[in-house]
Amino acid sequence: MIHPHCIQEMSAYTEGRERDREAGGIFLGSYRGAHIEITAITHPLRMDRRERFLFDRSDPGHQAAAKAAWTRSARTTTFTGEWHTHPEDIPAPSARDLQTWNGLLAKASEPLVFIILGWSGQWYGVGFRGRVYPAKPI
């Protein structure tokens, strides 16, 4: 489950001047049995690389936000995936996206959620055991 305010916050980066460069961040949430609950996101930060056809999440503030959430929640809120935008109506993962996600999955012990937002639609995926599967939001 993705809290509606998270979708609203991410969608702001597909409008107006924000749509000129890719944007992204991470998901913070909890694992509830077979379910993943996304309760917060990080936004693009100063040291991230934002270009027309590239978002590189390189600012250490994303990791710091995940660690702070983990500590504040008594170790129940954690990194649950990542999101970014694409400069197209209906997005699909690029080869670079899949390569980046495979690197994250190699280190993950739990499933991860991936979302790409386009101007008119979104792409959703869940990564588990080294593979990324297209998904539908609930």
Side-chain angles (χ1 to χ4, degrees):
M1 175 187 167
I2 303 169
H3 283 231
H5 70 89
C6 296
I7 296 289
Q8 184 177 22
E9 290 177 37
M10 291 184 293
S11 295
Y13 292 96
T14 63
E15 301 168 357
R17 291 182 54 98
E18 282 296 338
R19 73 190 273 173
D20 291 342
R21 299 180 299 156
E22 289 193 16
I26 66 170
F27 292 125
L28 300 171
S30 303
Y31 293 96
R32 309 248 186 243
H35 303 282
I36 303 170
E37 180 181 15
I38 297 170
T39 55
I41 68 166
T42 63
H43 296 264
L45 299 172
R46 189 177 60 83
M47 294 173 57
D48 291 332
R49 188 169 160 202
R50 291 185 65 192
E51 296 179 9
R52 179 75 173 151
F53 299 105
L54 173 75
F55 176 77
D56 185 14
R57 182 175 45 83
S58 50
D59 194 298
H62 299 282
Q63 177 73 22
K67 285 183 178 181
W70 175 255
T71 301
R72 275 193 317 271
S73 69
R75 302 182 347 189
T76 60
T77 299
T78 189
F79 171 81
T80 53
E82 67 176 25
W83 69 274
H84 70 281
T85 63
H86 273 192
E88 57 189 335
D89 282 326
I90 307 298
S94 67
R96 181 182 174 114
D97 293 334
L98 295 172
Q99 180 181 14
T100 300
W101 298 341
N102 284 334
L104 291 172
L105 290 169
K107 301 174 201 169
S109 58
E110 298 283 348
L112 296 175
V113 175
F114 303 107
I115 298 178
I116 305 172
L117 292 93
W119 299 327
S120 301
Q122 299 86 33
W123 183 91
Y124 298 87
V126 175
F128 186 63
R129 294 189 178 155
R131 286 196 62 193
V132 177
Y133 302 91
K136 293 182 181 181
I138 298 174

